Amino acid sequence: QVQLVESGGGLVQAGGSLRLSCAASGRTFSRIAMGWFRQAPGKEREFVAGINWNSGTKTYADSVKGRFTIARDNAKNTVYLQMNSLKPEDTAVYYCAARDRALVVTGSQDYSYWGQGTRVTVSS
């Protein structure tokens, strides 16, 4: 089992920045891939970014490439999502997710553990 707790969401103006954090406990964090997903009102949950067990592979949705950066600190059992140049369309609840595997994938069905979500609101 892996328990995930997100933090760092909030209200920000367009063009601003936020950093989300996800603290993990339970299984050996350093051996598993992590991902960030988001769900906007009335829309399906979508992949945002993912990172494999050793940070060797990072994957991003096209909509956030060049603006968002995912990172992890295995010593702190934490994964981060740095979000820059935020746009109103980035408004959503952001979820941290963990796999039972070391390699990152983009499908939500491949992640077994989920946090409770943190809300990000970007005003225009």
Side-chain angles (χ1 to χ4, degrees):
Q1 289 282 356
V2 177
Q3 292 78 44
L4 304 171
V5 178
E6 303 100 331
S7 61
L11 174 64
V12 64
Q13 289 188 334
S17 298
L18 282 174
R19 188 177 80 155
L20 305 183
S21 299
C22 173
S25 61
R27 286 194 54 177
T28 305
F29 176 80
S30 62
R31 298 178 183 174
I32 61 176
M34 300 294 295
W36 285 97
F37 291 77
R38 67 186 181 186
Q39 188 165 18
K43 295 188 177 181
E44 294 185 354
R45 189 171 298 187
E46 65 175 356
F47 174 81
V48 175
I51 188 167
N52 74 342
W53 68 282
N54 66 352
S55 303
T57 299
K58 300 177 184 180
T59 304
Y60 298 93
D62 288 343
S63 59
V64 306
K65 280 181 181 177
R67 300 188 298 123
F68 290 12
T69 302
I70 189 170
R72 66 189 295 163
D73 185 338
N74 287 345
K76 295 182 178 180
N77 282 12
T78 303
V79 63
Y80 305 96
L81 185 67
Q82 178 66 44
M83 305 186 295
N84 298 329
S85 302
L86 282 162
K87 305 175 181 179
E89 50 264 44
D90 294 318
T91 295
V93 176
Y94 283 71
Y95 297 92
C96 174
R99 295 196 73 202
D100 280 326
R101 299 289 187 269
L103 302 182
V104 66
V105 294
T106 62
S108 61
Q109 69 278 4
D110 294 311
Y111 289 79
S112 301
Y113 309 101
W114 293 82
Q116 81 288 351
T118 185
R119 186 174 300 277
V120 172
T121 303
V122 184
S123 63
S124 57

